[in-house]
């Protein structure tokens, strides 16, 4: 069966498709800026062309701990298997050199031998028996079927060597497994940061704020927060510094900069003359090439291990003119935390100028607050008028419904009244 031809000519369709493609503006998506620290705290840095690879072998324990779990488990298994096989080969060679294998062959053939009391390795007939004996010696199982005698000093020396090597292998590998399971970044998984940072007015000054919280009941002792701004800078001599780290002070009433992280807190940085955001306005924020890195450090209460949690905020993740909503409330004598509103923000009146302009012209803040107050009053008036109109409409509709349901009055007349009405 032949395919049906289209009713519209093919030349017309091609011309129309070409015209539509010309009309559509081609907007290239802006390449996403590479961030130095990811939201989960991982550092986005790739180390390449490292020539001195032998330095990693000088610190074998740290290298084993830094490996992935599958690689660590493979090394863990192979270390024990290799040690067992190595000493099994040694036991077999010692038994073979002492002539125990020949004695066993004579016993299996039921031939009398004069060396039955001279062998040192009992129940050793093959390499498999030597391998099982090596496992029993190193793991200290001791089934009793295989044993050694005092006839060979070399075997005693080999026994001591295997015990020492086995203890070293156990200590290194078990310590490596323990350190991997008790790593500090595991505790950092329950330390959370708000997805966005905000810039708003607090105590008459522009402030950069973000929220941090701990999901566990066990506390972080001596918790401290550090803020750094990373940006690309050029020195007066023309040197380009791609990752220039600038320390940013944190507004904290305590001198040691520690926080009591028993409930979610809002960490504040006052944008003053020391801040790298002092000359940044709301319109300039989106064009800035900077990244705000937050580092939370402390000691885990249960294990005593120092942990560190990290995150970062790029310019697209900083909201100007917003404030975090309150998530802590008092209920029945206890403080309740609603983590469903952990990252929620609300818009507030905030000047769009930079902190420098706000310091030079304090009237900008007063004008902004007055405008916000007027807009708030106007919105309240509109709401009240809308409520009044709605209430009046409801009352009118209820009256109309009630008027339609009014029962007409019935008047009863006597016969005398009927006669008088008829005469009239």
């Amino acid at each position: 069966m032949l395919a049906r031809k289209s009713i519209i000519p093919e030349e017309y369709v091609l011309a129309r498709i070409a015209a539509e493609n010309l009309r559509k503006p081609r907007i290239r998506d802006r390449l996403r800026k590479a961030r130095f620290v990811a939201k989960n705290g991982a550092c986005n840095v790739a180390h390449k062309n490292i020539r001195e690879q032998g330095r990693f072998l000088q610190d074998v324990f740290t290298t084993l701990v830094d490996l992935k779990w599958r690689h660590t488990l493979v090394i863990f298994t192979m270390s024990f298997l290799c040690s067992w096989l190595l000493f099994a080969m040694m036991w077999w060679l010692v038994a073979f050199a002492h002539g125990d294998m020949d004695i066993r062959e004579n016993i299996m053939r039921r031939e009398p031998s004069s060396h039955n009391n001279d062998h040192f390795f009992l129940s050793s007939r093959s390499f498999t028996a030597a391998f099982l004996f090596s496992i029993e010696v190193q793991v200290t199982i001791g089934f009793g079927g295989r044993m050694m005698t005092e006839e060979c000093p070399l075997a005693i020396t080999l026994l001591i060597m295997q015990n020492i090597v086995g203890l070293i292998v156990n200590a290194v590998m078990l310590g490596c497994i323990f350190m991997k399971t008790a790593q500090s970044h595991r505790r950092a998984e329950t330390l959370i940061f708000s997805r966005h940072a905000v810039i708003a007015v607090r105590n008459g000054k522009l402030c950069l704020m973000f929220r941090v919280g701990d999901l566990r009941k066990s506390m972080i002792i001596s918790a401290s927060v550090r803020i750094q701004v990373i940006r690309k800078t050029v020195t007066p001599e023309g040197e380009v510094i791609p990752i220039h780290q600038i320390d940013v002070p944190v507004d904290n009433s305590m001198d040691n900069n520690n926080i009591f992280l028993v409930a979610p807190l809002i960490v504040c940085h006052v944008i003053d003359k020391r801040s790298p955001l002092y000359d940044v306005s709301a319109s300039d924020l989106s064009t800035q090439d900077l990244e705000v890195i937050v580092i939370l450090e402390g000691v885990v209460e249960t294990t005593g291990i120092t942990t560190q949690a990290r995150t970062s905020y790029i310019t697209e993740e900083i909201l100007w003119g917003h404030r975090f909503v309150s998530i802590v409330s008092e209920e029945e004598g206890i403080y309740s935390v609603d983590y469903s509103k952990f990252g929620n923000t609300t818009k507030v009146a905030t000047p769009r100028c930079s902190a420098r302009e706000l310091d030079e012209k304090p009237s900008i803040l007063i004008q902004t607050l007055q405008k916000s107050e007027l807009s708030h009053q106007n919105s309240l008036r509109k709401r009240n008028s809308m409520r009044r109109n709605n209430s009046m409409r409801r009352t009118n509709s209820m009256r109309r419904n009630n008027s339609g349901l009014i029962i007409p009055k019935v008047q009863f007349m006597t016969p005398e009244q009927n006669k008088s009405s008829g005469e009239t």
Side-chain angles (χ1 to χ4, degrees):
M1 184 176 179
L2 298 175
R4 295 181 181 179
K5 293 184 179 180
S6 177
I7 300 175
I8 303 174
E10 188 174 349
E11 295 81 6
Y12 175 76
V13 174
L14 294 175
R16 186 168 183 178
I17 292 173
E20 289 179 355
N21 290 334
L22 289 175
R23 291 173 188 172
K24 293 180 180 180
R26 296 182 179 180
I27 302 174
R28 294 183 178 180
D29 297 335
R30 188 178 64 176
L31 296 176
R32 296 184 62 183
K33 176 182 175 295
R35 56 197 312 160
F36 188 66
V37 177
K39 295 297 290 184
N40 59 356
C43 296
N44 189 21
V45 178
H47 300 278
K48 297 181 179 180
N49 301 326
I50 300 177
R51 298 180 180 179
E52 298 180 359
Q53 297 288 343
R55 291 182 176 271
F56 295 99
L57 297 178
Q58 296 178 3
D59 188 7
V60 180
F61 187 77
T62 305
T63 304
L64 292 175
V65 173
D66 290 339
L67 290 176
K68 295 182 179 179
W69 267 108
R70 56 178 179 268
H71 299 155
T72 303
L73 293 177
V74 170
I75 295 174
F76 181 84
T77 305
M78 293 303 298
S79 62
F80 285 101
L81 286 177
C82 292
S83 63
W84 294 339
L85 288 172
L86 176 63
F87 283 99
M89 180 64 70
M90 292 182 180
W91 285 117
W92 185 81
L93 290 175
V94 171
F96 183 79
H98 197 262
D100 290 348
M101 298 302 174
D102 298 335
I103 295 172
R104 292 303 156 199
E105 289 178 1
N106 295 333
I107 292 175
M108 293 179 66
R109 294 176 184 176
R110 296 182 180 179
E111 295 180 358
S113 177
S114 61
H115 301 283
N116 289 338
N117 296 327
D118 295 337
H119 59 276
F120 80 98
F121 199 16
L122 299 178
S123 299
S124 176
R125 301 178 181 178
S126 62
F127 180 77
T128 304
F131 179 72
L132 293 176
F133 182 74
S134 175
I135 295 176
E136 292 178 12
V137 170
Q138 187 165 335
V139 189
T140 64
I141 296 176
F143 291 117
R146 284 167 291 272
M147 58 179 296
M148 59 173 293
T149 63
E150 66 278 4
E151 296 296 331
C152 183
L154 181 61
I156 299 174
T157 305
L158 184 60
L159 178 66
I160 296 172
M161 289 177 57
Q162 186 172 5
N163 286 328
I164 294 173
V165 172
L167 290 175
I168 294 174
V169 173
N170 290 337
V172 173
M173 299 312 300
L174 294 179
C176 177
I177 297 296
F178 173 76
M179 290 302 297
K180 284 188 70 67
T181 54
Q183 280 183 338
S184 59
H185 68 270
R186 303 295 181 187
R187 179 62 177 87
E189 296 293 334
T190 53
L191 297 174
I192 57 176
F193 300 88
S194 59
R195 185 161 187 83
H196 295 88
V198 298
I199 293 179
V201 177
R202 175 182 280 191
N203 297 327
K205 293 184 178 180
L206 282 177
C207 297
L208 173 69
M209 295 172 285
F210 58 90
R211 179 173 278 167
V212 60
D214 188 6
L215 299 179
R216 290 186 181 272
K217 290 185 178 180
S218 59
M219 295 178 53
I220 300 295
I221 304 173
S222 302
S224 61
V225 178
R226 293 188 293 114
I227 303 177
Q228 287 186 347
V229 173
I230 292 181
R231 64 193 312 173
K232 182 179 179 180
T233 58
V234 180
T235 62
E237 294 79 13
E239 181 185 0
V240 178
I241 304 176
I243 303 176
H244 186 202
Q245 301 181 12
I246 305 172
D247 287 332
V248 175
V250 179
D251 185 17
N252 194 350
S253 57
M254 301 180 67
D255 296 334
N256 54 5
N257 202 21
N258 290 341
I259 59 176
F260 186 51
L261 196 60
V262 67
L265 298 176
I266 297 177
V267 182
C268 175
H269 158 64
V270 179
I271 304 177
D272 52 9
K273 296 180 180 180
R274 300 175 298 171
S275 174
L277 305 176
Y278 190 60
D279 296 324
V280 178
S281 62
S283 58
D284 299 335
L285 182 62
S286 59
T287 60
Q288 293 291 319
D289 186 12
L290 57 87
E291 180 179 355
V292 180
I293 297 177
V294 180
I295 302 172
L296 172 63
E297 292 180 341
V299 179
V300 183
E301 184 180 16
T302 54
T303 61
I305 300 175
T306 303
T307 185
Q308 185 182 92
R310 299 179 296 268
T311 190
S312 68
Y313 301 98
I314 56 178
T315 54
E316 289 81 2
E317 296 171 349
I318 300 176
L319 304 178
W320 192 288
H322 284 247
R323 182 184 298 164
F324 289 105
V325 299
S326 178
I327 61 174
V328 180
S329 60
E330 188 175 356
E331 297 178 0
E332 298 179 357
I334 61 173
Y335 289 97
S336 176
V337 181
D338 186 6
Y339 279 97
S340 62
K341 302 178 182 178
F342 184 80
N344 293 358
T345 60
T346 181
K347 290 185 178 180
V348 292
T350 305
R352 308 290 293 179
C353 63
S354 63
R356 180 185 292 275
E357 296 177 0
L358 189 61
D359 291 342
E360 294 176 354
K361 298 179 181 179
S363 59
I364 297 176
L365 179 60
I366 300 174
Q367 295 175 1
T368 304
L369 295 177
Q370 290 177 354
K371 289 180 181 179
S372 65
E373 185 67 23
L374 291 175
S375 63
H376 181 64
Q377 292 179 359
N378 293 331
S379 63
L380 289 177
R381 290 174 183 174
K382 289 181 180 179
R383 289 179 184 176
N384 293 331
S385 62
M386 291 176 64
R387 290 177 181 175
R388 291 175 184 174
N389 294 332
N390 293 331
S391 61
M392 291 178 64
R393 290 175 183 174
R394 290 177 183 175
T395 53
N396 292 332
S397 62
M398 291 176 65
R399 287 177 181 176
R400 290 175 184 174
N401 295 331
N402 293 332
S403 62
L405 296 175
I406 294 175
I407 300 174
K409 295 181 180 180
V410 180
Q411 187 177 5
F412 296 95
M413 299 178 69
T414 61
E416 296 177 356
Q417 291 178 350
N418 288 332
K419 290 179 182 181
S420 61
S421 62
E423 292 176 358
T424 56

